[in-house]
Amino acid sequence: MFQTTREILQSADEGDLVRLRGWVYRKREFRDKIFIMLRDSEGVVQLVFSGQLAEDARKLNIESSIIVEGIVKVEPRAPGGKEVHVTRILWSYIGEPFPINVSAAQADSEYLLDVRHLWIRSRKMWAMLRIRHTVFNAIHEYFRMNGFYEVQCPIFVSAAVEGGATLFPVKYFDRTVYLTQSAQFYLEALIFSLEKVYTVAPSFRAEPSRTRRHLTEFWHAEAEMAWSNMYDVMKISEGLICHIVRRVLDERLEELSILGRDVEKLEKVRPPFPRVLYDEAIEILKKKGLNVEWGSDLGADEERILMQEFETPIHLYGFPEQIKAFYHKNDPQDPKRTLSVDVLAPEGYGEIIGGGERIEDPNQLIEKIKRFGLDPKDYDWYIDLRRYGSVPHAGFGLGVDRLVMWICGLDHIRDAVPFPRDIRRVAP
RNA sequence: GCCGCCGUAGCUCAGCCUGGUUGGAGCGGCGGGCUGUUAACCCGUAGGUCCCGGGUUCAAAUCCCGGCGGCGGCGCCA
């Protein structure tokens, strides 16, 4: 029977005989006594080796693995207030000198990406991974609580969702297919069976983006709802974000603190999010002296400047037709505008959700596909969905890695993912 | 696609602008010291094709040209 480091710190009593297993996180050597910070999946606790055991412990390099038996001591000088005085080393594996040192870790260097398979052992990565775990769990919780069915969509696809977006070609027997960039079209098909559906899956974008919020492979949480409109998307998406943030605040305070996250800022994330019409955003930016006109897309700088006005995420809605993909439904009251909505995260993190109402009329859809310079033949089955009992419907996609990046307060999306894939990096 | 930056020890970096004896520091390694550390500390020690090629010069890590490798940001999007 083994105890975790967390169990030692939380519930073990003075004098308890315990067994622990883990890795050497830090080692502090003296003549006849050695302190080792033992790391496991739950945390870190101090071990004390003395006498002959100190001589054995001296051989352990950083990240060596070890199983020990010892006696719990309440000790104010120990990190966490308790430590384990080792009485037996039951097993050990003396690792080679660990190649990551303190200065490399502080520098947040490229080297850490080269040795990412080892760096994921670090406290920072550990904290992020645990928060990420909670985020993914909360996504499933929220959708299931709200009557959505989870579905699975193909990764190999034969046509683009976004007209212009770049796809990764894949050799597929004697022809070329592509890696999916969104499950949206499949989700739209599935609402005719299940009405409210969601999926959490990777999406792939071959755009040569070199920014701190782009990956070529990212995790996409997408939902689609029959009998729904743009305002339903706003309600569900803000409910989702708030539920996720609440869960992280409830379960992961220690991890947020390790990452140095300002928890106060996350506490402010409560519904409803401000609803900002695209036109208002343009006005705000003009007042701030930016040269933006109705119809132009908001770049990263504009987004950042706009979000200085807000402390929570916002719904930015009603984008002009020309800056949104063809499938967005135009506003019948104002046809040059679409019933589209993005969620922008505060603190400069930008767009985390994109969505809106879809065109349900087949003729309107065909007409818009043509107007966008695309070929309706490429969207054959997608148009077909509208021919057999079409319904108003809407949906959205959440960039889960961007959400994790924001919640953790990270500088780069790469650090929101254990093994990031970007324009150049595909290893480890 | 556009703009900018970098390449010096296993790792992080200083030195380069203003060329000048044997190219430095911290961490890590190795050896030693130390009765309580919190990224332990102290002493010693090993470790270098200064990315590659060419040029200028009495002299190049340093200046110039070319190549290779890498990074950051924007655009696009989640």
Side-chain angles (χ1 to χ4, degrees), chain A residues 331-378:
Chain A
D331 186 345
Q333 314 298 317
D334 186 3
K336 63 183 190 301
R337 174 195 305 291
T338 54
L339 297 168
S340 54
V341 54
D342 286 356
V343 174
L344 305 188
E347 303 172 69
Y349 284 93
E351 184 179 351
I352 52 174
I353 284 179
E357 230 165 300
R358 324 299 192 190
I359 299 173
E360 78 260 24
D361 179 77
N363 295 323
Q364 260 180 44
L365 182 58
I366 292 166
E367 190 271 322
K368 194 164 174 184
I369 288 171
K370 286 180 182 163
R371 194 142 44 82
F372 272 57
L374 302 167
D375 187 351
K377 278 202 196 86
D378 293 337

Side-chain angles (χ1 to χ4, degrees), chain A residues 302-318:
Chain A
E302 285 85 31
E303 268 182 16
R304 242 188 310 279
I305 290 163
L306 174 66
M307 289 310 288
Q308 288 170 357
E309 303 289 302
F310 303 95
E311 290 191 310
T312 72
I314 66 165
H315 295 291
L316 184 58
Y317 73 104

Side-chain angles (χ1 to χ4, degrees), chain A residues 48-102:
Chain A
V48 185
F49 298 78
S50 35
Q52 179 53 44
L53 289 165
E55 294 317 303
D56 296 333
R58 205 176 294 280
K59 301 186 191 112
L60 298 169
N61 287 316
I62 300 294
E63 289 301 322
S64 292
S65 45
I66 186 169
I67 302 176
V68 297
E69 190 173 82
I71 308 290
V72 175
K73 286 266 179 355
V74 174
E75 170 56 71
R77 289 172 296 186
K82 285 181 205 167
E83 62 188 15
V84 174
H85 287 244
V86 173
T87 50
R88 284 167 72 198
I89 297 173
L90 300 173
W91 182 85
S92 68
Y93 184 101
I94 299 170
E96 294 178 28
F98 200 60
I100 301 174
N101 62 44
V102 169

Side-chain angles (χ1 to χ4, degrees), chain A residues 169-393:
Chain A
V170 179
K171 261 178 74 180
Y172 193 81
F173 304 109
D174 58 348
R175 57 186 168 140
T176 301
V177 297
Y178 305 93
L179 298 180
T180 182
Q181 55 186 203
S182 167
Q184 181 192 321
F185 286 7
Y186 296 95
L187 296 180
E188 285 190 59
L190 285 156
I191 61 166
F192 291 91
S193 177
L194 297 168
E195 298 195 24
K196 288 163 75 176
V197 296
Y198 82 98
T199 192
V200 181
S203 284
F204 306 88
R205 302 275 164 95
E207 294 138 358
S209 300
R210 303 185 47 81
T211 83
R212 64 182 65 186
R213 36 180 222 293
H214 283 87
L215 295 168
T216 52
E217 174 183 324
F218 66 96
W219 280 81
H220 215 170
E222 295 175 275
E224 201 70 29
M225 306 173 281
W227 316 108
S228 298
N229 60 28
M230 178 176 70
Y231 299 99
D232 298 312
V233 166
M234 291 180 182
K235 256 190 105 182
I236 292 291
S237 60
E238 79 192 0
L240 173 65
I241 302 271
C242 292
H243 178 74
I244 295 166
V245 169
R246 190 69 255 157
R247 268 280 184 263
V248 171
L249 287 170
D250 288 345
E251 297 173 10
R252 300 292 170 211
L253 274 183
E254 182 190 345
E255 289 83 351
L256 289 169
S257 149
I258 286 170
L259 294 170
R261 186 64 167 111
D262 183 352
V263 174
E264 299 277 304
K265 290 187 171 150
L266 295 177
E267 291 284 1
K268 290 182 178 145
V269 179
R270 292 175 190 279
F273 297 163
R275 296 180 177 187
V276 181
L277 184 66
Y278 171 85
D279 304 41
E280 297 171 47
I282 295 291
E283 284 311 308
I284 291 172
L285 291 171
K286 275 184 176 166
K287 263 184 212 146
K288 291 187 161 237
L290 274 82
N291 183 26
V292 283
E293 291 303 321
W294 201 96
S296 61
D297 205 355
L298 269 48
D301 286 344
E302 285 85 31
E303 268 182 16
R304 242 188 310 279
I305 290 163
L306 174 66
M307 289 310 288
Q308 288 170 357
E309 303 289 302
F310 303 95
E311 290 191 310
T312 72
I314 66 165
H315 295 291
L316 184 58
Y317 73 104
F319 293 90
E321 172 184 275
Q322 62 267 33
I323 59 172
K324 285 286 170 186
F326 71 87
Y327 49 74
H328 284 102
K329 183 172 172 176
N330 293 54
D331 186 345
Q333 314 298 317
D334 186 3
K336 63 183 190 301
R337 174 195 305 291
T338 54
L339 297 168
S340 54
V341 54
D342 286 356
V343 174
L344 305 188
E347 303 172 69
Y349 284 93
E351 184 179 351
I352 52 174
I353 284 179
E357 230 165 300
R358 324 299 192 190
I359 299 173
E360 78 260 24
D361 179 77
N363 295 323
Q364 260 180 44
L365 182 58
I366 292 166
E367 190 271 322
K368 194 164 174 184
I369 288 171
K370 286 180 182 163
R371 194 142 44 82
F372 272 57
L374 302 167
D375 187 351
K377 278 202 196 86
D378 293 337
Y379 301 96
D380 205 23
W381 68 258
Y382 185 63
I383 296 164
D384 212 29
L385 299 176
R386 277 72 182 165
R387 295 200 172 102
Y388 309 98
S390 198
V391 295
H393 65 287

